[in-house]
DNA sequence: GGACACCGTTGATCGACGTCAACCACAAAA
DNA sequence: TTTTGTGGTTGACGTCGATCAACGGTGTCC
């Protein structure tokens, strides 16, 4: 009695139960039974080309998105032209939560490489999370995690020095690559120095200099966007010594 | 057939339907019918003395809190002793959302003056928001608003100069006092210069100097913690001129 | 292959904010 | 009233990171 899988504009219908990102994504920790219900929830997949936006500040809020492949940055713009990267997102992470409060997105989400997301219509999500307890709880956890993450960034921006910020950034990237089955020590950054700087509240030259310094000190090897961490505990130590900061 | 209102340790049982903070708090926008159900949800009130903590980082997460009276700060601590204020909260605002993700609080919530909160047991909240659509939606909005707010702070910390940060802070306070029926132009800050500095990523001396500068320029009148805004549009102008920043 | 962007690196200089220190204002206690 | 403590202000000086500028590497489009 099951209807045929509908063909969507952008290709295959998403399926959480078949997806190898379950452990990183919204369905984490849900029962197999609940998982099957998620397949109803998640709409089409959508492909976004590098530098294209998934949504822009001011767009009406209709759905949240799970990153199926690729990576994104989110940024906010001030009237005067200044902008700030508020986060980098990788596979399995959820985009668009900022839109719920005002029913309008409050930042831009831009693909750092050709990417693909699963579209999760928000109305449906609320509806289903009234029925599926596991989904409700997971969704709340995802939102809460975003809040905790943001507090970490505030800590970083408010009280760390340039090299500490970059060290924290690299360790965070390493940890997230590891969670995705990649090497903890060797990875490829998808963002420019300018974007890293914007995220860390630094100018690109400062980011570049900090990279060079780390290289001199044998902490990492840097070749453009290719990073190899040579001394992870050295990086961690940088974070612990209270080095005056601001 | 209604049971008598139970007497709680800390005094009166909270009642959303009777509360004059509805428009600022979790129940905002909910129907009268739904509102009555909220009275079941909200547990006892709890009083917190100035400088006492409502919860501390590491405490098991059991409830979220709505501020009934008074005000709070939240802060995070790093191992090395550095700490950072992540927010100031006023009446009607919700505390504790950081705890959902790890089932443990990730920051400290400390009363800036003698205060009172309504305790909202989290299990009950999830349960009831499966039944009451309006509650579910409002709760999601509250979480999302927190995320948007944090992005604003990241913007401030990452790309504004000292005086811009303080101007943004004052305008934000003014706006929140106004929403609570107080004067937009004249108010009493409950936090020290050190706490403001920690929140804004500045040292207390820098905060103090910025206040003095504003006073010289006739933008505000400052007498210790008592602030009078003399030229709000002047403060706003400070934010728009892109003044180089970092 | 050559030309052109774009991105990244490095150096020299400057300025905003941190640091250190002294002093002042106000409130609670003696 | 004086005392003591906490919080706030102001000045002199130092430093970290921004700014300005030149140059080098890498990839893409003719």
């Amino acid at each position: 009695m099951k209807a045929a899988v509908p063909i969507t504009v952008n290709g295959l219908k998403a399926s959480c139960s078949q997806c190898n990102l379950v452990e990183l994504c919204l369905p984490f920790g849900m029962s197999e039974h609940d998982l099957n219900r998620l397949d109803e929830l998640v709409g089409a997949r959508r492909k976004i080309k590098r530098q294209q936006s998934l949504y822009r500040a001011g767009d009406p809020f209709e759905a949240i998105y799970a990153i199926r492949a690729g990576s994104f940055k989110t940024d906010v713009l001030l009237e005067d032209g200044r902008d700030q990267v508020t986060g980098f997102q990788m596979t399995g992470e959820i985009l668009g939560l900022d839109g719920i409060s005002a029913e309008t997105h409050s930042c831009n989400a831009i693909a750092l490489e050709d990417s693909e997301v699963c579209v999760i219509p928000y109305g449906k999500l609320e509806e289903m999370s009234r029925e599926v307890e596991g989904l409700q709880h997971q969704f709340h956890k995802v939102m809460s995690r975003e809040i905790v993450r943001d507090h970490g960034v505030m800590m970083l921006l408010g009280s760390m020095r340039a090299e500490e910020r970059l060290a924290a950034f690299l360790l965070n990237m390493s940890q997230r690559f590891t969670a995705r089955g990649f090497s903890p020590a060797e990875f490829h950054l998808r963002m420019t120095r300018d974007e890293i700087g914007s995220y860390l509240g630094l100018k690109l030259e400062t980011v570049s200099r900090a990279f060079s310094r780390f290289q001199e000190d044998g902490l990492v090897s840097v070749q453009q966007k290719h990073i190899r961490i040579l001394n992870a505990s050295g990086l961690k130590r940088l974070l612990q010594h209270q080095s005056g900061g601001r």
Side-chain angles (χ1 to χ4, degrees), chain A:
Chain A
M1 280 297 282
K2 202 178 236 179
V5 173
I7 293 163
T8 67
V9 189
N10 291 291
L12 285 166
K13 172 86 174 60
S15 157
C16 295
S17 51
Q18 306 285 327
C19 181
N20 58 351
L21 291 170
V22 218
E23 291 145 29
L24 293 164
C25 195
L26 185 60
F28 176 73
M30 288 174 58
S31 72
E32 189 149 352
H33 173 262
D34 289 352
L35 208 56
N36 288 321
R37 297 222 44 195
L38 272 200
D39 291 352
E40 300 166 36
L41 169 63
V42 178
R45 294 206 188 129
R46 190 172 141 198
K47 284 189 189 334
I48 312 286
K49 283 227 162 299
R50 186 177 128 86
Q51 302 283 33
Q52 298 295 308
S53 58
L54 172 58
Y55 56 81
R56 320 221 97 232
D59 285 357
F61 170 69
E62 280 149 7
I64 62 171
Y65 307 91
I67 302 178
R68 162 84 189 151
S71 52
F72 287 79
K73 68 170 176 182
T74 47
D75 63 9
V76 284
L77 262 108
L78 245 52
E79 316 81 66
D80 60 18
R82 278 183 288 188
D83 70 336
Q84 168 100 6
V85 172
T86 53
F88 298 112
Q89 295 80 20
M90 303 179 31
T91 51
E93 295 176 332
I94 304 293
L95 277 163
L97 298 174
D98 59 284
I100 301 171
S101 66
E103 279 147 39
T104 284
H105 285 288
S106 67
C107 63
N108 307 306
I110 294 159
L112 294 175
E113 58 193 309
D114 293 357
S115 299
E116 192 177 22
V117 298
C118 299
V119 179
I120 306 175
Y122 180 66
K124 263 201 203 169
L125 173 68
E126 284 207 336
E127 199 179 303
M128 189 170 295
S129 69
R130 265 175 264 131
E131 297 162 25
V132 182
E133 192 174 332
L135 173 61
Q136 179 196 38
H137 192 62
Q138 263 319 114
F139 179 57
H140 290 169
K141 280 201 170 185
V142 166
M143 293 204 95
S144 175
R145 197 174 309 135
E146 174 86 15
I147 292 171
V148 174
R149 193 191 66 80
D150 289 349
H151 287 177
V153 177
M154 287 166 60
M155 173 100 237
L156 180 146
L157 291 171
S159 62
M160 288 187 184
R161 303 156 25 104
E163 292 186 6
E164 297 177 289
R165 294 185 201 190
L166 189 64
F169 171 76
L170 289 175
L171 290 168
N172 177 263
M173 291 306 280
S174 163
Q175 184 245 302
R176 286 156 79 192
F177 278 116
T178 309
R180 279 154 187 81
F182 298 107
S183 164
E186 203 169 350
F187 46 83
H188 192 86
L189 297 176
R190 323 261 32 160
M191 67 293 284
T192 66
R193 300 288 189 263
D194 193 35
E195 288 165 334
I196 297 173
S198 173
Y199 179 61
L200 298 179
L202 302 168
K203 289 291 156 187
L204 65 95
E205 293 94 329
T206 306
V207 174
S208 180
R209 277 186 248 269
F211 269 127
S212 303
R213 189 88 213 289
F214 286 174
Q215 183 145 254
E216 275 171 42
D217 297 351
L219 294 171
V220 299
S221 124
V222 184
Q223 236 157 354
Q224 307 285 113
K225 294 191 157 83
H226 190 88
I227 307 291
R228 190 187 305 177
I229 297 181
L230 303 172
N231 181 354
S233 46
L235 284 177
K236 281 177 202 141
R237 221 172 303 126
L238 258 183
L239 289 179
Q240 277 154 12
H241 286 327
Q242 69 175 24
S243 15
R246 73 181 32 190

